[in-house]
Amino acid sequence: MLFTDDTVEALRAAVHLVNTAEDPDTLVTEDDVAAFLEAFPYTGRIDRDPAELTGLRALRPQLRSVLLASRDEMVARINAALREVTLDARLVRHDGADWHLHAVADDRPFAERILAETAMALIDVVRANEGSRISVCADETCGGVVLDLSRNRSRRYCSTTCTNRNAVAAYRSRQR
Ligand SMILES: [Zn+2]
Ligand SMILES: [Zn+2]
């Protein structure tokens, strides 16, 4: 096991959120926030209002920067994030998830909680020196972030769309 389940889930959620900023943007309405919540069920405060949507949209470039940072820069950005949030760390167990850390109180804004959880998850990435598992999609036209948790580090594309597009392109170039 590379990382604990809660770390993996936090990293997946952060990458998913960052990748909604790719063209076309898929975090535009409150329905889009609902879809994100369906994919990544969060406990705690959910406002379902424009301020929350704005907060999540504004969080995306910050998450992107920290996820794709070099090790030293990632440490600096994690530390900055930990200063930015109101830490209220405690161990909790809920909804079938075994003991894990909640770094901020459940009533803090959604974007702040995601930032804190991403920072906590990236602490594990830094400690394991596994930052190379987070990269930019190998598709030339895509800026999506790839989280590669595969055993043989084989994941190069951010989505099945990008994987398939490049498989087709490779096939065509072999035919020529
Ligand atoms: Zn939890
Ligand atoms: Zn891609």
Side-chain angles (χ1 to χ4, degrees), residues 37-51:
L37 277 163
E38 206 149 294
F40 300 96
Y42 277 80
T43 54
R45 171 179 163 190
I46 304 293
D47 293 342
R48 301 180 200 284
D49 67 2

Side-chain angles (χ1 to χ4, degrees), residues 19 22 136-139 141-146 156-159 161-163 165-166:
N19 287 348
E22 290 303 299
V136 177
C137 183
D139 182 287
T141 63
C142 179
V145 173
V146 183
R156 299 176 61 216
Y157 300 104
C158 72
S159 63
T161 310
C162 283
T163 305
R165 188 190 306 128
N166 285 276

Side-chain angles (χ1 to χ4, degrees), residues 108-129:
R108 298 301 299 167
F110 193 19
E112 182 179 334
R113 300 207 314 278
I114 294 173
L115 177 61
E117 286 193 4
T118 306
M120 300 306 291
L122 288 174
I123 288 171
D124 287 355
V125 172
V126 168
R127 293 174 70 195
N129 199 10

